[in-house]
Amino acid sequence: MDDVELPILGTEPLVVEFANTLYGDEDFLGTTELAVLWFTTAHAQPARDTAAARSLRDSIHSLFTATVTAAAPPATAIVHVNAAAAQAPTSPQLVRQPTGAFVAGPRGTATGDAALLGGLATACIELLTDDRARLLRRCESPGCCLFFVQRHPRRRYCHESCAHRDRQARYYRRRAAS
Ligand SMILES: [Zn+2]
């Protein structure tokens, strides 16, 4: 397992990194072992239910794909993400102290998978409804399909290594053509 290269950019919101676990035909949540490795490497508590994590990832991935391709998203994915987010409500709580003063209580009391997957679903909703939705991109390098949030207007690749690979590919194509 040590030699597995995970598709973690380290520059993106966790929910984008989460969507990127589906990399073409490769599923980096494909086994429980891989999923635990991914979650711990991405600095998140591993999901107990890998199948549930994978299923939510699929829904988020399809919503991101629809966003970057300006296609209609599957309605089932919207329902799924909303349902997962509802499992970990993050609405503020009004708490009255013995002194009579009000304080804001903890946001969300869910634990375990409900908190983890609910948090990712909530992050997906936030990303798709704020400025980042129109900045969501897919890497332009041939053979790469990672999502990233285009914070720099000229960024076209998920990572410098992809930019390099694309330049190389074009160089070889030019040479082959000449
Ligand atoms: Zn890339």
Side-chain angles (χ1 to χ4, degrees):
M1 288 298 284
D2 289 345
D3 57 353
V4 176
E5 202 184 322
L6 296 170
I8 296 177
L9 297 170
T11 51
E12 303 308 308
L14 184 63
V15 67
V16 173
E17 305 274 19
F18 183 57
N20 284 340
T21 57
L22 189 61
Y23 186 89
D25 293 338
E26 287 184 76
D27 185 350
F28 288 87
L29 302 181
T31 64
T32 304
E33 203 182 12
L34 262 177
V36 167
L37 181 67
W38 184 85
F39 276 107
T40 46
T41 309
H43 304 295
Q45 187 67 35
R48 285 200 190 90
D49 185 345
T50 305
R54 200 182 307 133
S55 168
L56 179 65
R57 187 278 321 277
D58 288 347
S59 289
I60 292 174
H61 191 277
S62 68
L63 292 176
F64 284 2
T65 300
T67 301
V68 298
T69 57
T76 49
I78 299 175
V79 171
H80 186 184
V81 166
N82 283 339
Q87 292 299 306
T90 55
S91 48
Q93 302 293 309
L94 187 64
V95 177
R96 192 161 182 263
Q97 290 193 312
T99 58
F102 286 123
V103 292
R107 281 175 172 263
T109 50
T111 55
D113 280 8
L116 172 72
L117 301 181
L120 285 164
T122 302
C124 170
I125 293 169
E126 287 170 353
L127 190 146
L128 291 177
T129 53
D130 68 24
D131 286 349
R132 291 171 296 171
R134 61 182 177 79
L135 298 177
L136 193 63
R137 295 285 183 279
R138 186 166 250 175
C139 181
E140 291 182 22
S141 179
C144 185
C145 54
L146 294 186
F147 294 111
F148 62 91
V149 177
Q150 191 191 41
R151 292 198 180 80
H152 189 285
R154 285 207 301 267
R155 181 177 172 193
R156 293 169 54 208
Y157 305 98
C158 68
H159 188 266
E160 188 52 40
S161 60
C162 269
H164 181 69
R165 197 184 319 144
D166 195 25
R167 276 196 298 267
Q168 261 192 343
R170 275 182 291 167
Y171 175 71
Y172 288 127
R173 273 201 300 272
R174 270 204 310 272
R175 269 168 51 110
S178 64

